[in-house]
Amino acid sequence: MSDGVSLPIFAVMVVVFVVLTICIGLYGYKHTRDNQDYLLGRNKSNPVIIALSYGATFLSASAVIGFGGQAAVHGMSMMWLCFLNLFIGMLVAFIIFGKRTRRIGKKLGASTFADLLGKIYKSKGIRAFTAILILVMMPIYCAAVLKGGVNSLAVITGLTEYYDLILLALAIIVGVYVVYGGIIAVMYNDAFQALIMLVGMVVILITTYATLGGVSGATTQLADLWDTGVFDKTGTMPGFNGWTQFSDFGSDEWLLVVTTFLLGVGIGALTQPQLVVRYMSAKDDKTLDKSIIIGTVFIFVIVGAAYTCGSLSNVYFFNEYGQIAFQHVTLGVDFIIPTYITDLFSEVTFGDVFVSLFLMSLLCASISTISALMHTIGAAGGFDLFSILKSRRENRDVDSSSLNVNRIFTAIVMVLVVVYCYFMPSDIIAKATSLFMGMTAAALLPAYVHGLYSKEPSKKAAIWSISVGTLVYLFWALFISQSMSAFLPICKTITGSQVLFDTSIRFVDPLVVALPISILVMAVAVIVYKKRAAVGSSTETA
């Protein structure tokens, strides 16, 4: 086993990275003259910046650390998430949602996702709810990503005794350029970090296959590892058929992988506020079209490499230590990929350089997502809620733009996220990602689609859909879903059990239940209110 990264080499990379990050932050600060620049930086983002920023924000530490570790446990079935990331996260998102979002957002003068929905439906309530949802749920996701990156960094470098300092340093770096540079600094830093991630993951994938005997040899070894039964299978879930085979339909393994990881993240990507802003920052539709190609290549390489290396790490760990990944890495699933990379490059020429490069990729993966989330959280409070409260107090229906309020609110939330890190459970990156994405999809996706494509969006139907989708999701997450109830153990406090039913239903993700109900409620409400409007119109005519 490797003793860890070479601190001098890593330190040099960190210094260069920090200097470049500060320079980009200063560039953003210089070009952020008002609140509109801070929120959108409209017309200042080219296709490459939008694509790389979107990709880095979308994937980040969740894909590399969280879902890469889950791939080590659940196998190549996670590659279906790669397909969903590309098809739904890029093609559907940009073509079906991106262009209309940009056009409508520009027409209405919207600056955030909450602002967009509020102006589409002419509803301060919908805008306020969306902003509050972001403020309540997104810090969980943000803290999970921050903690995952810090945990891995501290362990790999051997600086676990400096955990608090690493946490604060990472938070300060992100906080400074988000608070002062706004969306311009966030997106340009995302693009810079995306390039580092891209290089790092390509090197890791090539080295993995070279070490394990090529593509064919590595895949064969992975299949044989399960088929020959040469290891203790204790800890695998019922229905698991090995890392190269899909699980049995309806089994516990199938329910967890398909409903939580594949559908929860695959569908949930469509309603991510931090991603929607990327559409709205584009100058025109052609910019978005060009971004699709670049973003698709980036996402394919990052997630494809992460999920593949995660699965193949089982072969490496078994060959070296006689144990599969989650048995050997006892710290938890989120530590499988960092441990694997450190070990993999320990015997490679210039291995310290490659490990340091991976750590930089890991840092970039964490920072790119955290910065985007913090900017979104800050805008939800410092712009959306601030505008609503001020308009009510002054009795005038206008947005209240204050650059300083946005910056102050973002800084305050960054402090709260750091505090929240100390209360987070372990192995939460992938689950926290699924939780936030699933929640926003169940609550907002039907209303988002209806608002974009209906000539006369129904405000009442949207409110019904949002309300029911939110309530159903929360109930299922808090009382039925085993993986989600860990975030807020209300059920355990009330009943003494983590979930209400100790059956396979506990592996069903809340999104699978809440989203169809939310869609059904939206459809029924639209029909009902249209009929009422038609009846009312006929009565007035008579």
Side-chain angles (χ1 to χ4, degrees), residues 19 72 76 105 182 194 238 242 270 276 317 320 425 488 520:
V19 170
M76 290 291 188
L270 295 174
V276 171
F317 285 125
E320 294 293 323
L488 193 61
L520 179 62

Side-chain angles (χ1 to χ4, degrees), residues 42 50 54 87-106 113 116 269-272 275-289 291-292 445 448-449 452-453:
R42 204 188 297 273
I50 291 175
Y54 182 93
F87 180 70
I88 296 180
M90 280 300 302
L91 297 180
V92 172
F94 272 72
I95 295 173
I96 296 179
F97 288 83
K99 293 181 179 180
R100 291 191 70 87
T101 297
R102 189 201 66 79
R103 295 173 197 162
I104 294 174
K106 185 177 182 179
F113 186 39
L116 176 69
L270 295 174
T271 51
Q272 293 305 283
L275 300 181
V276 171
V277 171
R278 269 62 184 170
Y279 312 143
M280 296 165 67
S281 69
K283 181 179 180 180
D284 49 37
D285 288 351
K286 290 183 179 180
T287 300
L288 291 178
D289 288 336
S291 298
I292 293 176
L445 184 56
Y448 185 27
V449 174
L452 290 181
Y453 284 93

Side-chain angles (χ1 to χ4, degrees), residues 42 97-98 100-123 126-127 130 273 276-277 279-280 383-384 399 447-448 451-452 457:
R42 204 188 297 273
F97 288 83
R100 291 191 70 87
T101 297
R102 189 201 66 79
R103 295 173 197 162
I104 294 174
K106 185 177 182 179
K107 178 181 178 181
L108 298 177
S111 299
T112 67
F113 186 39
D115 189 23
L116 176 69
L117 291 181
K119 288 178 177 175
I120 286 176
Y121 289 103
K122 300 177 182 178
S123 170
I126 291 178
R127 181 181 182 182
T130 305
V276 171
V277 171
Y279 312 143
M280 296 165 67
F383 176 66
D384 290 309
D399 288 328
Y448 185 27
L452 290 181

Side-chain angles (χ1 to χ4, degrees), residues 131-151:
I132 292 172
L133 180 65
I134 292 170
L135 290 173
V136 172
M137 300 299 297
M138 190 174 277
I140 296 175
Y141 180 20
C142 189
V145 174
L146 177 59
K147 184 173 182 176
V150 174
N151 284 351

Side-chain angles (χ1 to χ4, degrees), residues 400-470:
S400 298
S401 299
S402 174
L403 185 57
N404 289 331
V405 170
N406 273 288
R407 285 172 169 166
I408 292 171
F409 198 90
T410 303
I412 292 174
V413 174
M414 187 76 250
V415 174
L416 295 177
V417 167
V418 171
V419 173
Y420 193 63
C421 283
Y422 289 97
F423 298 94
M424 294 290 289
S426 58
D427 297 337
I428 38 72
I429 294 181
K431 293 177 182 177
T433 302
S434 181
L435 173 66
F436 179 68
M437 290 190 175
M439 181 70 195
T440 55
L444 303 175
L445 184 56
Y448 185 27
V449 174
H450 180 57
L452 290 181
Y453 284 93
S454 175
K455 293 182 179 179
E456 297 180 0
S458 172
K459 172 183 171 181
K460 293 181 179 179
I463 292 175
W464 272 106
S465 175
I466 290 171
S467 301
V468 173
T470 300

Side-chain angles (χ1 to χ4, degrees), residues 74-77 218-224 226-227 240-246 311-312:
H74 302 288
M76 290 291 188
S77 58
T219 304
T220 300
Q221 290 182 70
L222 185 62
D224 292 344
W226 176 265
D227 295 337
F240 183 69
N241 294 318
W243 294 275
T244 59
Q245 300 292 327
F246 213 85
S311 298
L312 292 175

